[in-house]
Amino acid sequence: MKTAEMVLREIPFLQSYKGYQELILCLRLVLEDEERLTDIRKQVYLAAAVQRGEELHNFEKNLRTVRDAFLMYGGKEYLERVLKRKIQLPLDSRELIEVLVECMRRG
């Protein structure tokens, strides 16, 4: 299994975005328990925001920013190559987290 960092390293320039560490934390939380996806705002975003000492609103904004950068720098193509299926845009942050966890599991 790949780590979150290994998967995201495939996409250039992401580490410079403030939402990068937020996304890493979300991926780890969901990987621990995928049931968290059903109530992602409370069980993942809020939990991660508290852990990072951030306001939920800013945390979610940073996630959207890194999601947009991920897609801008070839993330859609990466997902299609790894998952071997078409990815429909737009992806919301929850969907991105879900497919990235799948990429991690496929290693």
Side-chain angles (χ1 to χ4, degrees), residues 1 7 11-12 17 20 24 38 44 59 61 74 105-107:
M1 180 181 325
V7 168
I11 308 300
Y17 285 88
Y20 180 80
I24 296 282
T38 60
V44 178
F59 185 90
K61 178 180 66 88
R105 289 193 186 281
R106 289 187 182 206

Side-chain angles (χ1 to χ4, degrees), residues 23 40 45 60 63-64 67 91-98:
L23 180 57
I40 197 163
Y45 299 164
E60 290 174 315
L63 273 181
R64 289 189 300 272
R67 174 208 60 206
L91 286 178
D92 65 24
S93 297
R94 179 195 53 79
E95 292 166 332
L96 178 62
I97 290 167
E98 189 172 348

Side-chain angles (χ1 to χ4, degrees), residues 3 18-19 34 36 47 59 64 81 85 88-89 99 103:
T3 65
K18 186 166 182 169
E34 287 193 44
R36 290 179 171 145
F59 185 90
R64 289 189 300 272
R81 186 173 66 249
R85 67 174 187 251
Q88 298 298 315
L89 297 181
V99 295
C103 290

